[in-house]
């Protein structure tokens, strides 16, 4: 009987020592490359996805975020704005709205090499994770930027249509719509109702992960 207990104890001890070395399950929020080589994703093949670029706005942005319902748009958030409005950022996190990193104009990354790394670190400090998506404000992705994105395993996401209000653009399968909300370049959020009346939106992740993505090569 004593030998039996000794064998059980030894087996349990061995299992306990082995557990720390077992690989942890992959996180659902892990970042990964969606393309096989550096490229800008500009559309899927079916459905419609809405993205909103935010670098400006206070009360109206917070009110819209409180009211927006699922399926949520993908928010591209500029870091200076996020640091100015931590309460709105906290609301985004509480509602679990998907967020990407909104950068500067593409040319800025040719002139300032550490810029992307700095923005990436600030995003991780604020949101506690690395972004899956990155977009420059002008959707220009110079060759000097794509290596940094590739190494960081962050996907470059462009858009099919940039909508600044007015008549809704015709529906195109696999489209990624971009709504700018910057100082001097933004619409009233109430205008988004025009798009919602004409489309049934799905998340960027659902649209791209279930279909073939279409890309635009980053020029050298």
């Amino acid at each position: 009987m004593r030998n039996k207990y000794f064998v059980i104890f030894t087996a349990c001890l061995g299992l306990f020592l082995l557990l720390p070395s077992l690989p942890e399950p992959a996180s659902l929020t892990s970042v990964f490359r969606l393309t096989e080589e550096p490229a800008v994703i500009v559309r899927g093949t079916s459905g419609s996805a809405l993205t909103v670029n935010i670098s400006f706005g206070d009360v109206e942005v917070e009110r819209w975020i409180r009211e927006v319902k699922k399926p949520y748009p993908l928010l591209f958030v500029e870091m200076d704005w996020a640091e100015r409005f931590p309460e709105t950022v906290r609301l985004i996190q509480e509602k679990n709205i998907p967020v990407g990193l909104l950068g500067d104009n593409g040319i800025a990354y040719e002139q300032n090499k550490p810029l992307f790394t700095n923005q990436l670190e600030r995003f991780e400090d604020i949101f506690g994770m690395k972004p899956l998506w990155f977009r420059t404000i002008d959707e220009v992705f110079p060759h000097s930027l794509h290596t940094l994105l590739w190494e960081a395993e962050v996907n470059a996401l462009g858009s099919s249509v940039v909508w600044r209000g007015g008549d809704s653009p015709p529906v195109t399968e696999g489209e990624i719509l971009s709504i700018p909300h910057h100082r001097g370049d933004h619409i009233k959020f109430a205008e988004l109702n025009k798009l919602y009346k004409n489309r049934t939106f799905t998340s960027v992740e659902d649209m791209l992960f279930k279909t073939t993505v279409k890309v635009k090569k980053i020029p050298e």
Side-chain angles (χ1 to χ4, degrees), residues 174-195:
E175 64 187 357
I176 301 173
L177 279 74
S178 174
I179 309 297
H181 199 268
H182 314 304
R183 185 181 297 276
D185 183 15
H186 63 278
I187 65 173
K188 294 182 178 179
F189 284 113
E191 286 198 63
L192 287 178
N193 291 333
K194 296 179 183 179
L195 293 179

Side-chain angles (χ1 to χ4, degrees), residues 157-215:
L157 189 71
S159 66
S160 315
V161 177
V162 178
W163 189 68
R164 291 183 167 85
D167 295 335
S168 299
V171 177
T172 304
E173 286 297 314
E175 64 187 357
I176 301 173
L177 279 74
S178 174
I179 309 297
H181 199 268
H182 314 304
R183 185 181 297 276
D185 183 15
H186 63 278
I187 65 173
K188 294 182 178 179
F189 284 113
E191 286 198 63
L192 287 178
N193 291 333
K194 296 179 183 179
L195 293 179
Y196 281 103
K197 289 179 180 178
N198 295 328
R199 288 165 168 79
T200 299
F201 285 114
T202 185
S203 69
V204 170
E205 288 81 3
D206 283 347
M207 186 181 73
L208 296 180
F209 295 168
K210 294 179 180 178
T211 63
T212 302
V213 300
K214 296 185 179 181
V215 303

Side-chain angles (χ1 to χ4, degrees), residues 69-176:
K69 295 178 174 59
K70 294 181 179 179
Y72 295 133
L74 170 61
L75 306 183
F76 279 97
V77 174
E78 192 259 349
M79 289 301 93
D80 286 345
W81 178 88
E83 290 168 349
R84 287 197 303 272
F85 302 106
E87 292 298 324
T88 306
V89 168
R90 192 171 298 114
L91 180 60
I92 292 171
Q93 293 174 304
E94 289 174 355
K95 295 189 68 169
N96 201 28
I97 300 175
V99 182
L101 171 56
L102 181 64
D104 292 10
N105 288 323
I107 193 173
Y109 298 92
E110 295 182 318
Q111 300 170 340
N112 184 355
K113 301 301 182 183
L115 178 59
F116 172 72
T117 300
N118 174 265
Q119 292 172 335
L120 188 61
E121 290 174 350
R122 291 163 68 190
F123 186 98
E124 292 186 66
D125 286 343
I126 293 172
F127 291 98
M129 61 181 182
K130 187 183 292 185
L132 176 61
W133 309 107
F134 174 83
R135 174 183 286 168
T136 57
I137 286 182
D138 56 3
E139 297 193 20
V140 174
F141 297 83
H143 184 71
S144 57
L145 176 61
H146 79 72
T147 300
L148 295 174
L149 290 167
W150 187 252
E151 291 177 348
E153 295 186 304
V154 177
N155 296 286
L157 189 71
S159 66
S160 315
V161 177
V162 178
W163 189 68
R164 291 183 167 85
D167 295 335
S168 299
V171 177
T172 304
E173 286 297 314
E175 64 187 357
I176 301 173

Side-chain angles (χ1 to χ4, degrees), residues 9-34:
F9 172 78
T10 303
C12 292
L13 179 62
L15 180 61
F16 175 77
L17 294 174
L18 178 62
L19 283 175
S21 63
L22 294 176
E24 296 182 358
S27 170
L28 294 178
T29 58
S30 295
V31 296
F32 57 92
R33 301 187 186 99
L34 194 58

Side-chain angles (χ1 to χ4, degrees), residues 1-59:
M1 181 66 70
R2 184 176 301 173
N3 290 339
K4 179 181 178 180
Y5 287 140
F6 177 76
V7 171
I8 295 174
F9 172 78
T10 303
C12 292
L13 179 62
L15 180 61
F16 175 77
L17 294 174
L18 178 62
L19 283 175
S21 63
L22 294 176
E24 296 182 358
S27 170
L28 294 178
T29 58
S30 295
V31 296
F32 57 92
R33 301 187 186 99
L34 194 58
T35 58
E36 295 181 355
E37 59 185 41
V40 182
I41 299 168
V42 293
R43 65 184 306 133
T45 55
S46 65
S48 298
L50 180 64
T51 66
V52 181
N53 304 336
I54 302 177
S55 68
F56 167 78
D58 183 3
V59 176

